[in-house]
């Protein structure tokens, strides 16, 4: 009795599971023209936990071509079950009536058959006896003008012309603005005795020897000698007294014309500080002593040359900076304009070809 009851319950449970699975197929159109496409939809209604395996390709009669399959997302039904679908794209190039056999779907290891379908393929009737009724093919037509395609090129062309105009304007300014030519000067450096003799010649040209006031004459003469001694012997003669200069010359070992030089410095100190009046012949003798001292102690070395960089004024410096900025601006504007020209020409070629 218990065994019979168990088999009865098992049969009812299997029948309930079978009742929950619903498999059907339908076609999007029962008729189609040659070469058109239709979709064959395969729908299975199952519980959410069921495992459904659709066929990879449709089982089709000869004359119908299978183009591909499309997986459709699952759809939740109000009954708690899930609708799972798969679409098969079909086409045909033969005008006849086709019967599509049932398809097999596997649900939880059990196969289910779909319903049988039919598809009628129609052809287009062509009247070959009256071909004049058919219109000839249209001639090749140009693409319509669209401002949206040409407006970017138009505005880029305007910008390019503005850049070239600005570059030309800056070029005119650069051409009219004369450059500042700063050249290096090579100056020969005079030797100490040459500087001293040049200063003495200026003293002689100024007729200071015969001047009534000998103070300026002796001041210029002793300053010339001090500068010569400082450059010739290498000690600070400009900051020393007359006696300190003589002592330093004695220490250096050069005894040439020291008595005459000492007499000259003493006379100069008397004139500058004691208002001593000298005679013209005495002034001449001291001048000759200075010249003899320079000639006997001079060092004959070849004169050196020195490069003197010119110093530009603030206005010249501003002019140079302005010219550099003009050149940089012209190069930048010309480069950008050239790039725009190449881009516009390339896009025009694409639009016209």
């Amino acid at each position: 009795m218990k065994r019979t009851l168990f088999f009865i319950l098992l049969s009812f449970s299997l029948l309930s599971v079978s009742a929950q699975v619903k498999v059907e197929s339908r076609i999007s159109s029962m008729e189609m023209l040659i070469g058109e496409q239709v979709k064959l939809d395969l729908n299975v209604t199952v519980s959410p936990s069921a495992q459904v395996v659709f066929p990879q390709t449709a089982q089709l009669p000869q004359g119908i071509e299978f183009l591909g399959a499309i997986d459709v997302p699952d759809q939740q039904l109000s009954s708690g079950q899930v609708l799972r679908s798969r679409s098969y794209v079909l086409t045909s190039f033969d005008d006849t009536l086709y019967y599509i056999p049932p398809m097999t779907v596997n649900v939880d290891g059990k196969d289910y058959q779909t319903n049988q379908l039919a598809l009628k393929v129609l052809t287009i009737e062509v009247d070959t006896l009256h071909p004049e009724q058919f219109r000839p093919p249209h001639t090749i037509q140009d693409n319509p003008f669209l401002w949206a395609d040409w407006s970017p090129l138009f505005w880029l062309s305007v910008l390019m012309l503005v850049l070239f105009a600005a570059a030309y304007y800056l070029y005119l300014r650069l051409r009219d603005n004369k450059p500042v030519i700063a050249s290096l000067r090579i100056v020969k450096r005079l030797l100490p005795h040459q500087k001293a003799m040049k200063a003495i010649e200026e003293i002689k040209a100024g007729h200071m020897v015969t001047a009534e006031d000998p103070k300026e004459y002796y001041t210029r003469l002793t300053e010339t000698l001090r500068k010569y001694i400082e450059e010739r012997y290498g000690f600070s003669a400009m900051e020393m007294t007359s006696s300190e200069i003589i002592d330093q010359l004695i220490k250096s070992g050069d005894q040439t014309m020291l008595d005459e030089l000492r007499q000259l410095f003493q006379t100069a100190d008397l004139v500058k500080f004691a208002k001593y009046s000298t005679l013209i012949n005495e002034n001449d003798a001291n001048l000759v002593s200075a010249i003899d001292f320079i000639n006997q102690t001079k060092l004959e070395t070849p004169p050196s040359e020195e490069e003197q960089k010119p110093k530009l004024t603030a206005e010249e410096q501003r002019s140079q900076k302005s010219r550099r900025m003009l050149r940089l601006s012209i190069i930048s504007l010309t480069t950008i304009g050239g790039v725009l020209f190449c881009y516009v020409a390339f896009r025009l070629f694409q639009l016209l070809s």
Side-chain angles (χ1 to χ4, degrees):
M1 184 66 182
K2 292 182 178 179
R3 184 177 298 177
T4 304
L5 182 60
F6 172 76
F7 281 113
I8 293 173
L9 293 176
L10 180 61
S11 299
F12 276 111
S13 62
L14 292 175
L15 290 173
S16 63
V17 171
S18 300
Q20 291 178 357
V21 178
K22 182 180 179 182
V23 178
E24 64 177 352
S25 61
R26 58 187 176 184
I27 196 165
S28 58
S29 176
M30 299 294 293
E31 295 181 351
M32 75 172 189
L33 293 175
I34 288 179
E36 288 186 339
Q37 297 177 3
V38 295
K39 286 198 305 179
L40 190 155
D41 297 326
L42 190 55
N43 301 322
V44 180
T45 304
V46 293
S47 61
S49 61
Q51 298 294 327
V52 179
V53 179
F54 291 101
Q56 294 297 322
T57 60
Q59 301 172 1
L60 303 172
Q62 186 176 2
I64 298 180
E65 298 182 13
F66 171 70
L67 300 180
I70 303 173
D71 291 325
V72 181
D74 295 346
Q75 182 179 356
Q76 188 71 35
L77 303 178
S78 59
S79 61
Q81 292 182 303
V82 175
L83 177 63
R84 294 181 181 175
S85 304
R86 186 181 179 92
S87 298
Y88 301 87
V89 182
L90 311 177
T91 187
S92 178
F93 297 93
D94 294 326
D95 55 335
T96 185
L97 178 63
Y98 295 98
Y99 291 97
I100 301 175
M103 300 178 65
T104 302
V105 181
N106 186 279
V107 180
D108 291 333
K110 185 178 179 180
D111 292 337
Y112 293 87
Q113 297 290 327
T114 63
N115 51 301
Q116 185 177 353
L117 299 173
L119 175 63
K120 186 176 183 181
V121 180
L122 304 176
T123 186
I124 300 176
E125 296 293 337
V126 179
D127 187 1
T128 58
L129 298 177
H130 304 86
E132 67 277 0
Q133 64 180 331
F134 299 103
R135 296 180 181 178
H138 294 289
T139 59
I140 299 176
Q141 297 183 358
D142 296 332
N143 292 328
F145 177 81
L146 296 177
W147 174 245
D149 296 335
W150 294 85
S151 60
L153 299 182
F154 173 77
W155 293 115
L156 287 177
S157 301
V158 172
L159 177 60
M160 177 185 65
L161 294 177
V162 171
L163 292 177
F164 281 136
Y168 182 70
Y169 170 73
L170 294 179
Y171 165 75
L172 294 180
R173 287 194 57 186
L174 181 65
R175 185 188 63 181
D176 297 337
N177 187 9
K178 295 182 179 180
V180 178
I181 301 176
S183 58
L184 294 176
R185 291 191 305 165
I186 307 299
V187 180
K188 291 186 177 181
R189 187 187 295 266
L190 297 177
L191 297 176
H193 70 276
Q194 292 174 336
K195 294 180 182 179
M197 293 303 296
K198 184 178 180 181
I200 288 176
E201 291 297 328
E202 292 177 357
I203 293 173
K204 292 167 64 177
H207 303 286
M208 296 181 182
V209 179
T210 59
E212 295 181 359
D213 186 6
K215 182 176 180 180
E216 183 180 359
Y217 164 70
Y218 278 100
T219 300
R220 293 280 300 276
L221 184 59
T222 52
E223 284 183 357
T224 301
L225 288 173
R226 287 173 183 270
K227 290 179 180 179
Y228 167 74
I229 293 170
E230 182 171 314
E231 295 181 3
R232 166 63 178 80
Y233 292 96
F235 58 87
S236 302
M238 296 296 294
E239 300 175 1
M240 294 181 177
T241 62
S242 300
S243 58
E244 289 174 345
I245 293 174
I246 299 299
D247 293 340
Q248 188 66 34
L249 289 174
I250 294 174
K251 291 179 182 179
S252 65
D254 195 341
Q255 303 294 327
T256 306
M257 296 289 294
L258 287 185
D259 293 337
E260 290 80 357
L261 188 62
R262 184 183 292 109
Q263 180 64 35
L264 189 153
F265 277 127
Q266 289 177 354
T267 303
D269 290 340
L270 290 174
V271 170
K272 290 188 290 183
F273 303 111
K275 297 182 180 181
Y276 175 74
S277 299
T278 59
L279 300 176
I280 296 177
N281 57 353
E282 187 176 5
N283 296 340
D284 291 336
N286 287 326
L287 183 63
V288 172
S289 297
I291 295 173
D292 290 342
F293 173 76
I294 293 170
N295 288 330
Q296 293 185 31
T297 57
K298 66 182 179 180
L299 292 177
E300 291 289 350
T301 55
S304 60
E305 295 182 351
E306 179 183 9
E307 291 185 355
Q308 286 190 352
K309 295 182 179 180
K311 294 182 179 180
L312 302 179
T313 63
E315 183 64 27
E316 290 175 338
Q317 292 177 357
R318 285 194 297 270
S319 178
Q320 280 191 340
K321 185 177 180 181
S322 175
R323 289 182 64 83
R324 285 195 297 268
M325 293 299 297
L326 286 175
R327 289 194 190 96
L328 181 60
S329 300
I330 292 172
I331 293 173
S332 301
L333 293 175
T334 306
T335 302
I336 297 174
V339 172
L340 289 178
F341 175 79
C342 295
Y343 175 77
V344 171
F346 175 72
R347 291 290 296 132
L348 284 175
F349 175 77
Q350 286 184 327
L351 288 175
L352 296 176
S353 60

